[in-house]
């Protein structure tokens, strides 16, 4: 395996490799004053998704590994396209798990999602109600930072020394404005909180502690968040729409085909242990036998079939295939 790879997709923690990452290109260096990095506990959601077992073969092919690492070296977002079940969102968890970068910050996108939803929320009504209560009780109102919470994108842009991993999931489901609204934040690595900017000139208000998406309280100075290490951003798309060229040129683009052959074997081994792909060749063969018919077969179906027939249900040999057949079917996306 090429020695230049920082992320190798081996399904085992190797956080020391991140120390070999060289400085960013001059045009992707950011000046945020570093905060203490949060302790990166093992993320249970990542291990649940990955079934990470030491010794599994690489989960990505050589070209995909090159593109994933290019995004890491260049501090650029990775735009991942592919069919449902191709492993797009799981990729973000694999990167965070292998490089020891803690919990993946997840921003699921829907048609109503706006940029500010990912940056921060401000509870103006709650602050007004608490201020009125404090006036009646003749006490000092609570600090404004109590009413501000950074979203997943805002938390990812905090100036930590090691990058956080941010998953912007199903960006193609957004309205027409969100991809364009992301451009400045992706390019500049910073954003303003107007509520804090207005208060920054008041005595004692230049630094305000706010809540993050992962439950910490951190200082924000001068009403702006400016990153130090640009986060590893994984944007996923099911291909339901095209994106504007200005966004595409700021991203590294990766298309994931449904996992087959070595990738599929790696996935099965990661969840069920070494040799499990060989023990379940019949189910894997059934799962892949009808490739090319245009039907969607997410890999969840194969994992469900292996688990049910190998670990749960004790049946006669012929019944194993019958039960697996019920689970390994093309997705029926027609409206009834």
């Amino acid at each position: 395996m090429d020695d230049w790879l920082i992320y190798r997709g081996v399904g085992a923690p190797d956080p020391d490799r991140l120390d070999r990452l060289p400085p960013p290109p001059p045009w992707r260096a950011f000046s945020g004053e570093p905060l203490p990095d949060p302790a990166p506990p093992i993320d249970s959601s990542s291990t649940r998704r990955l079934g990470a077992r030491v010794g599994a073969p690489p989960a990505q092919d050589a070209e995909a590994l090159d593109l994933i690492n290019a995004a890491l070296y260049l501090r650029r977002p990775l735009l991942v396209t592919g069919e449902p079940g191709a492993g797009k969102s799981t990729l973000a968890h694999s990167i965070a798990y292998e490089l020891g970068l803690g919990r993946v910050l997840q921003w699921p996108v829907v048609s109503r999602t706006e940029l500010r939803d990912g940056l921060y929320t401000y509870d103006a009504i709650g602050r007004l109600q608490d201020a009125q209560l404090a006036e009646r009780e003749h006490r000092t109102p609570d600090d404004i930072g109590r009413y501000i919470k950074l979203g997943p994108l805002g938390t990812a842009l905090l100036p930590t020394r090691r990058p956080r991993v941010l998953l912007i999931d199903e960006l193609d489901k957004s309205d027409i404005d969100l991809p364009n609204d992301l451009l400045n934040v992706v390019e500049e690595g910073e954003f303003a909180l107007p509520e804090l900017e207005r208060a920054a000139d008041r005595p004692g208000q230049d630094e305000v502690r706010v809540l993050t998406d992962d439950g910490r309280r951190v200082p924000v100075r001068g009403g702006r968040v400016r990153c130090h290490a640009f986060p590893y951003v994984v944007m996923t798309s099911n291909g339901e729409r095209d994106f504007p060229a200005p966004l595409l040129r700021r991203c590294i683009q990766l298309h994931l085909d449904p996992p087959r052959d070595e990738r599929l074997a790696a996935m099965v081994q990661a969840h069920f242990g070494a040799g499990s792909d060989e023990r379940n060749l019949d189910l894997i063969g059934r799962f892949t036998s009808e490739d090319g018919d245009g039907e969607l077969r997410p890999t969840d179906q194969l994992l469900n079939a292996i688990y049910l027939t190998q670990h749960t249900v004790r049946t006669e040999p012929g019944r194993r295939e019958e039960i697996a057949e019920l689970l390994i079917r093309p997705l029926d996306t027609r409206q009834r």
Side-chain angles (χ1 to χ4, degrees):
M1 185 173 295
D2 289 348
D3 193 52
W4 81 285
L5 299 179
I6 305 299
Y7 167 77
R8 298 181 296 168
V10 295
D14 192 5
D16 293 339
R17 291 194 69 82
L18 195 65
D19 296 332
R20 302 174 55 184
L21 187 67
W27 56 90
R28 296 300 292 166
F30 300 95
S31 60
E33 183 178 347
L35 296 170
D37 284 0
I42 293 177
D43 183 5
S44 60
S45 66
S46 291
T47 54
R48 174 172 50 82
R49 280 173 171 263
L50 300 170
R53 291 176 182 265
V54 175
Q60 305 295 337
D61 60 34
E63 180 177 327
L65 285 174
D66 285 345
L67 290 169
I68 293 165
N69 281 274
L72 188 60
Y73 276 85
L74 297 173
R75 275 60 163 189
R76 288 291 187 184
L78 185 70
L79 177 59
V80 188
T81 58
E83 296 177 355
K88 301 184 297 296
S89 58
T90 299
L91 178 59
H93 291 270
S94 177
I95 294 165
Y97 178 77
E98 184 171 318
L99 299 183
L101 296 176
R103 183 176 77 87
V104 174
L105 298 164
Q106 301 186 66
W107 185 16
V109 173
V110 297
S111 60
R112 302 178 303 279
T113 300
E114 298 179 352
L115 177 63
R116 179 160 165 169
D117 298 327
L119 293 176
Y120 75 99
T121 57
Y122 172 54
D123 186 3
I125 295 176
R127 188 185 182 201
L128 176 61
Q129 292 173 337
D130 288 352
Q132 293 171 340
L133 181 61
E135 183 178 1
R136 289 197 298 269
E137 296 176 350
H138 306 288
R139 59 177 175 84
T140 303
D142 290 326
D143 184 85
I144 187 175
R146 180 181 175 187
Y147 306 96
I148 291 178
K149 180 180 179 181
L150 299 181
L153 175 57
T155 300
L157 290 171
L158 285 169
T160 52
R161 294 186 182 277
R162 295 167 68 87
R164 297 296 302 271
V165 177
L166 170 67
L167 172 63
I168 304 179
D169 209 11
E170 299 191 331
L171 182 60
D172 53 328
K173 285 186 167 49
S174 70
D175 70 14
I176 194 170
D177 293 324
L178 182 59
N180 286 307
D181 292 342
L182 279 169
L183 291 177
N184 187 64
V185 175
V186 166
E187 189 65 23
E188 301 302 328
E190 64 178 84
F191 68 97
L193 295 83
E195 296 83 0
L196 298 188
E197 282 188 318
R198 288 193 292 267
D201 292 335
R202 301 172 191 168
Q205 293 292 305
D206 178 63
E207 180 175 299
V208 177
R209 299 186 72 83
V210 302
L211 188 67
T212 69
D213 183 70
D214 46 8
R216 298 175 294 127
R217 288 208 171 268
V218 297
V220 173
R221 301 182 179 92
R224 299 188 73 82
V225 171
R226 180 180 294 109
C227 74
H228 177 77
F230 191 77
Y232 196 101
V233 181
V234 177
M235 304 177 182
T236 73
S237 168
N238 292 323
E240 296 182 6
R241 59 173 291 189
D242 295 327
F243 295 116
L247 177 67
L248 294 178
R249 78 173 181 84
R250 288 169 169 83
C251 298
I252 303 295
Q253 298 180 58
L254 167 64
H255 181 80
L256 288 184
D257 292 319
R260 295 294 182 265
D261 302 326
E262 290 84 0
R263 282 185 63 208
L264 192 59
M267 184 176 296
V268 171
Q269 289 188 50
H271 285 277
F272 300 107
S276 55
D277 56 322
E278 297 291 337
R279 293 193 298 272
N280 291 281
L281 283 177
D282 58 333
L283 299 187
I284 293 174
R286 182 184 298 274
F287 180 76
T288 60
S289 62
E290 299 182 23
D291 277 359
D293 61 4
E295 302 286 358
L296 294 178
R297 288 181 174 79
T299 51
D300 308 63
Q301 294 181 337
L302 175 62
L303 299 179
N304 290 339
I306 291 175
Y307 178 78
L308 188 62
T309 60
Q310 179 173 299
H311 295 278
T312 305
V313 179
R314 305 299 179 187
T315 66
E316 299 176 358
R319 286 286 288 155
R320 180 174 186 266
E321 287 72 21
E322 293 177 7
I323 294 171
E325 180 66 27
L326 295 175
L327 298 176
I328 302 176
R329 291 179 173 178
L331 292 184
D332 185 356
T333 58
R334 296 169 297 176
Q335 298 295 318
R336 297 185 184 276

